[in-house]
Amino acid sequence: MGALMVIFSLQTKQRRKTTDSVEDELELSTVRHRPEGLEQLEAQTRFSRKELQILYRGFKNECPSGVVNEETFKDIYSQFFPQGDASTYAHFLFNAFDTDHNGSVSFEDFVMGLSILLRGTVQEKLIWAFNLYDINKDGYISKEEMLDIMKAIYDMMGKCTYPVLKEETPRQHVEIFFQKMDKNKDGVVTIDEFIDSCQNDENIMRSMHLFENVL
Amino acid sequence: MATGVAAWLPFARAAAIGWMPVANCPMPNAPGDNSKRQDELIILNISGRRFQTWRTTLDRYPDTLLGSTEKDFFYNEETKEYFFDRDPDAFRSILNFYRTGKLHYPRHECISAYDEELTFFGIIPEIIGDCCYEEYKDRKRENLERLQDDQEEIKDMKLPNMSFRETMWRAFENPHTSTMALVFYYVTGFFIAISVITNVVETVPCGSTFNQKDMPCGERYTVAFFCIDTACVMIFTVEYLLRLFAAPSRYRFMRSVMSIIDVVAILPYYIGLVMTNNEDVSGAFVTLRVFRVFRIFKFSRHSQGLRILGYTLKSCASELGFLLFSLTMAIIIFATVMFYAEKGSSSTKFTSIPASFWYTIVTMTTLGYGDMVPKTIAGKIFGSICSLSGVLVIALPVPVIVSNFSRIYHQNQRADKRRAQKKTRMARIRIAKSGSANAFLQSKRNGMLSELLELTGKDEEEQKSMSLLESQHHHLLHCLEKTTAHEFVDEQMYEQNFLEMALQTFPSHSPSTASHDSPAVTCCSRKERRNTPLPSADLPPPHPSSAHQSTLQELSTIRIHCGDPLLHSTSRSNLNMKPDDSCRINSKSGRITTAIISLPTPPALPSDGDGLHRPPKRRSHPPTGHPVAPSIQTTASSAGINIVKVSAL
């Protein structure tokens, strides 16, 4: 008798599972994104038509569904840094690219971000970097946020570095950063302080132009 | 760098702008993109069928035939296409590999034909996707086994330099290898049979003499049977000792099942010899004779079927255990019930619950001897329920056991297979990861070396050729290094640094650690320090060989290591030679040529098989330049310096 009850409950559970999976399949199939037209993107970004074509082909090849979710993003980014763990930094990067915060990066987000990074003015690039560092998007970079970002960057180096990475290295680096950037020593860096300090730093200015020939 | 993400490299490089405000040092210059080729369509003509694809698609895997300049050999000027005289059906999956980054194995293809195609196009089979890898490996194994069956005779050929011991062992294990072995095999078999028959006949009544009752033959012809028994035990003892002598690993032989059976078979005789005088333990002595029946198990050496049966039972042990357990449960339940049901009736045989066990077992197995039958009505009812359920309880687990056995057996095989495959695949992935990391480190040393070689005035023969993608990736990693003011090193150096820091009171005297003194550096000062151990490099060499020697010694102080995974890599021309040897993913590392400057005099060190975790040592090669491994091409340049060109996949 008990066995019969057990068999019955198993059957109902299975039936429930099949209905759930059907709904799941429907959900998955709707997550496919088609980007805006080529002309619109051309107008919104600073890429030429050909460049947009090349970009989209590469993008669509890697993500046939048209959007990148965070997991895929982390995987792809981690492939470039085999020795370390790039997932934390990729997470911050994902948030920086996902401007509408819907959990996925579509081709438009992707290409807008790239447009700023590759073809934008130095001011725009600095604003983008500020947005990357400002994790909670409150307009201020606090020491904790900077520490998170710094740790993420150092994580990408991995374990096998010379000199050996110590616990306080990121913290020290954050201190240096704040000494340079925080003009009024109030413990946070605002966007104006950031832009000012960066524009006064020759190294940073030069490095901003480094990747302009990427495409 | 892994496969297929070349499209994202521009994105990764652009995102590196996020590090710039954080960095304290100037960034290195980006590699120039001088080849501003527009993306063009390439036509591939495979035996008449035309495939078209973008050039950049093919360029994704620069270490394969289609991705490198090797395809120029197949370029047809008149038709402006690349012509390959190969199977167009198989080519489909190869081209799809370039397109999607995943290599699939089409099931209708013959495994060896597919392998040949892969080898021709320079693609290693290990990168077959997970969906098809198992199938591929299964087919490959089947094929290999089929080939091995054809070559079984070769295995039995006598190897030339076998010692007497090894010959004997081979004779014992494979009786058909030599006549002596065959004779031995049959003799032992004969004596086992004799021994068993003797044991049996001993107990047969042999006819009475005079007025005595029927005596078993054993007691009548004691001497004869004793002689036969002695002879058999002699033979078995000799055989056991010979096997023990010939066994390659005596300890393992003594632990094996067959040898235990041998020992158990002959031990009772010796114990009996010792104990004949003592009358008290004659009972035990009689029991010992029972163990003589174990001699029949010696036949399992002669019979393959027995061995398989034994293995089957062993592997099915848990199922059998379950059967036994459920049977025991049922027996106890029914025995209890029968006992209490029959308690009331007079002169009942069901005197206790254990006594009812016998009834229950006989009934449930549908034997029904009839020596115990219930008399009460309740007893008869429960007895009938018992016999009905007996059929179920016995009949149900048996097919379950059979099917379970078959399923678990195959599952085990598959699980073992998958585990073994997983190990190699994880190793391959790890090597590829470290390979790409090592590629970066190699290129750094390359940069260093070419600087130094320029300083010594020696012109470098080989040009470093790195694909554009590779140089861009390295530039990206270099920027990260500058941002964090730390360098990537490989594991050996890391471990050494770790040790150094741990034992900071021990200044290391080996020249190889001279350059790593203080851990805390800034990026700019480090660059200067790296150049200081090489003051002699600036001196123009008066006499080539001696100055080269000193320069070489200095250069060797920088601990130039050949990345060990690179030793595993096979150059593409050798892919046909060693198809099973390569264990790397087709990565984007391109053709990396690294220069290893070696001292001419020291003896050659053996090439490392797995040197990732060994302490760093200078790699030297003999000046004659003979290859250490077939995958490393050495070209001797002037002044007897060997420059080893290693191309990494």
Side-chain angles (χ1 to χ4, degrees), chain B residues 8-19:
Chain B
W8 290 83
L9 186 59
F11 155 73
R13 300 183 69 214
I17 289 189
W19 309 332

Side-chain angles (χ1 to χ4, degrees), chain A residues 60-158:
Chain A
K60 184 101 175 139
N61 223 358
E62 295 307 313
C63 317
S65 60
V67 290
V68 195
N69 61 357
E70 192 164 336
E71 280 313 306
T72 325
F73 196 86
K74 281 186 182 168
D75 280 336
I76 292 174
Y77 201 70
S78 304
Q79 313 242 13
F80 294 104
F81 303 98
Q83 276 196 330
D85 172 29
S87 50
T88 332
Y89 188 70
H91 167 75
F92 294 133
L93 211 52
F94 186 82
N95 286 338
F97 267 87
D98 184 16
T99 41
D100 45 2
H101 302 290
N102 59 353
S104 61
V105 168
S106 65
F107 183 62
E108 289 93 342
D109 299 332
F110 180 67
V111 111
M112 303 277 202
L114 273 190
S115 163
I116 297 178
L117 287 173
L118 298 179
R119 301 289 157 92
T121 64
V122 176
Q123 183 99 346
E124 289 172 345
K125 290 180 190 173
L126 289 174
I127 296 177
W128 188 91
F130 185 86
N131 274 329
L132 174 69
Y133 299 148
D134 184 11
I135 299 176
N136 55 1
K137 315 284 179 238
D138 61 352
Y140 300 103
I141 304 179
S142 66
K143 279 204 179 158
E144 288 76 27
E145 290 174 336
M146 202 58 219
L147 188 60
D148 287 337
I149 300 267
M150 203 61 75
K151 280 203 197 137
I153 294 181
Y154 274 89
D155 279 343
M156 284 199 284
M157 290 294 293

Side-chain angles (χ1 to χ4, degrees), chain B residues 345-361:
Chain B
S345 86
S346 58
S347 74
T348 179
K349 292 248 176 58
F350 294 82
T351 49
S352 63
I353 294 188
S356 319
F357 281 165
W358 174 244
Y359 169 76
T360 320
I361 291 175

Side-chain angles (χ1 to χ4, degrees), chain B residues 583-637:
Chain B
C583 47
R584 316 179 112 277
I585 293 180
N586 279 326
S587 66
K588 297 201 94 41
S589 43
R591 272 184 72 79
I592 297 173
T593 56
T594 66
I596 302 177
I597 315 289
S598 61
L599 298 173
T601 41
L605 293 174
S607 62
D608 284 354
D610 163 35
L612 265 179
H613 300 287
R614 294 219 204 133
K617 50 179 189 257
R618 287 203 303 262
R619 185 102 4 131
S620 345
H621 295 277
T624 54
H626 66 257
V628 179
S631 56
I632 303 179
Q633 309 154 11
T634 59
T635 60
S637 62

